[in-house]
Amino acid sequence: MTQSAVSPAAEPRVWCRDHRGRTYAFEDFLKLTESFHGYPAPGVVIGAKMVHLAMRQMPAGALFDAVSETAKCLPDAVQMLTPCTIGNGWLRIVPLDRYAVTLFDKVHLSGIRISVDPERLDAYPETRHWFFGVKPKRKDRTRELLGEIEGAGENLFAVQSVRVRPEHAAKRPSGPRAVCPDCGEAYPSGHGPSCLSCQGQSRYYERG
Amino acid sequence: MTQSAVSPAAEPRVWCRDHRGRTYAFEDFLKLTESFHGYPAPGVVIGAKMVHLAMRQMPAGALFDAVSETAKCLPDAVQMLTPCTIGNGWLRIVPLDRYAVTLFDKVHLSGIRISVDPERLDAYPETRHWFFGVKPKRKDRTRELLGEIEGAGENLFAVQSVRVRPEHAAKRPSGPRAVCPDCGEAYPSGHGPSCLSCQGQSRYYERG
């Protein structure tokens, strides 16, 4: 039995690695995406490489939070590969609609921002077509698109060192809750004498 | 070998069931919560029962979207048990800060809304203390809190039939993207001559 050392040459076969150190080959990550996200969305697959790249540049052992600059696809890559979820508050979405993710140290607020660099897309025509939302969509060319993304690897991205502004990093503590006199449900008493819904905000439903 | 029929009496041992039909006992769901959410948060555990209850009342085979009225904990229960995630857009967060979730049919917009009913908390003092954010927190009584939640089961909730307003159900299609002349990144061209960040919105970081 020969022992094979884990060499850096093996790395290109790894598409991404999660925060527990589990690695995924490209095809395996497509399956994981299908399971969590519902379908093997190119945005999640690219996002995974972005998250992977950002995590690799964070100091070992750093406790980090994540910011996604879009609600589309990218947050799921964060949730699949890091401890940060939308429900635990370690992932936040800043609605800028740029395809970029930042991981930052919870204590020092220093971090790494990874974005898709439009200039680098010229060599990847299917990716460019999809990313810029050119119509008509090429739904029949998804295989070619995913193949391009796999081949491009880390070549699509710009990497920046950033510092997150303290007011954007601070957790808002949960204050006490009161019962709304109008709907009878609990709400943060800091919102006023009744809950935001009974104040007229975001009334997304009516009685069925 | 005796054959044991699956009887309705077995149901109380199931804490929740995911959209694939996989069931979780209470302790198993705590472990899943620890894995996805980072720790066995009471809010996720209660949220799972709410999602379970809502899914059970949806017509079989209905394709549904989800709305969480809070960003805290509850969205993770949705993501763990349904096909709806923040990144695929089938889960939306409406920032009302009420502990309520709605699942609704994507086509007919009819749905089920489950909320925590404050009146029902009187019989569950640890749950009441935690839910209303009373200070000081009783961090040393988490076991008792989780035990109460398990014992309460579906008793904590109010159930409503609702209809989601069409403007809240509609998916906003992705329009074409342009390159921002200031930062050089891609953004939805409908946002104006430059991206929202370069227009001064949500500048959450500075160069590090």
Side-chain angles (χ1 to χ4, degrees), chain A residues 42-59:
Chain A
V44 177
V45 178
I46 287 183
K49 191 55 120 184
M50 295 164 73
V51 170
H52 174 77
L53 183 53
M55 272 203 285
R56 231 177 44 205
Q57 305 212 14
M58 294 296 287

Side-chain angles (χ1 to χ4, degrees), chain B residues 110-123:
Chain B
S110 53
I112 302 290
R113 179 177 182 269
I114 313 282
S115 57
V116 171
D117 180 353
E119 286 193 1
R120 295 176 182 236
L121 294 179
D122 290 342

Side-chain angles (χ1 to χ4, degrees), chain A residues 184-196:
Chain A
E185 295 188 28
Y187 74 103
S189 43
H191 285 183
S194 63
C195 79
L196 293 181

Side-chain angles (χ1 to χ4, degrees), chain A residues 19-20 34-39 44 67-69 71-76 79-80 82-91 93-102 113 115-119 128 130-135 137 160-168 171-179 183-188 191 195-198 201-208, chain B residues 19-20 34-39 44 67-69 71-76 79-80 82-91 93-102 113 115-119 128 130-135 137 160-168 171-179 183-188 191 195-198 201-208:
Chain A
H19 67 108
R20 294 187 175 88
E34 212 162 332
S35 167
F36 184 69
H37 185 81
Y39 57 98
V44 177
V67 177
S68 171
E69 296 185 19
K72 290 188 178 165
C73 290
L74 188 48
D76 281 0
Q79 297 186 114
M80 289 159 73
T82 81
C84 309
T85 71
I86 201 76
N88 69 21
W90 303 337
L91 163 64
I93 295 169
V94 170
L96 293 169
D97 281 313
R98 294 192 299 193
Y99 217 76
V101 66
T102 296
R113 179 177 182 271
S115 57
V116 171
D117 181 353
E119 285 192 3
R128 194 175 203 294
W130 162 79
F131 185 74
F132 276 95
V134 180
K135 299 286 155 60
K137 289 188 179 186
Q160 287 175 295
S161 290
V162 298
R163 179 167 293 276
V164 171
R165 298 205 158 100
E167 64 272 26
H168 284 274
K171 277 228 171 192
R172 282 158 295 178
S174 298
R177 298 168 79 79
V179 174
C183 66
E185 295 188 28
Y187 74 103
H191 285 183
C195 79
L196 293 181
S197 179
C198 292
Q201 279 186 41
S202 301
R203 289 195 158 157
Y204 71 90
Y205 67 90
E206 51 204 25
R207 303 269 164 143
Chain B
H19 67 108
R20 293 187 176 88
E34 211 162 332
S35 167
F36 183 69
H37 185 81
Y39 55 98
V44 177
V67 177
S68 171
E69 295 185 18
K72 289 188 178 164
C73 291
L74 188 47
D76 280 1
Q79 297 187 115
M80 289 159 72
T82 81
C84 310
T85 71
I86 201 76
N88 69 20
W90 303 337
L91 162 65
I93 295 170
V94 170
L96 294 169
D97 281 314
R98 295 192 299 193
Y99 217 77
V101 65
T102 296
R113 179 177 182 269
S115 57
V116 171
D117 180 353
E119 286 193 1
R128 195 176 201 295
W130 162 79
F131 186 74
F132 276 94
V134 180
K135 299 286 155 62
K137 288 188 180 187
Q160 286 175 296
S161 290
V162 297
R163 179 167 294 275
V164 171
R165 298 205 158 100
E167 63 272 25
H168 284 275
K171 277 227 172 192
R172 282 158 294 178
S174 298
R177 297 169 79 79
V179 174
C183 66
E185 296 188 28
Y187 74 104
H191 286 183
C195 79
L196 292 181
S197 179
C198 292
Q201 280 186 42
S202 302
R203 289 196 158 156
Y204 70 90
Y205 68 89
E206 51 204 26
R207 303 270 164 142

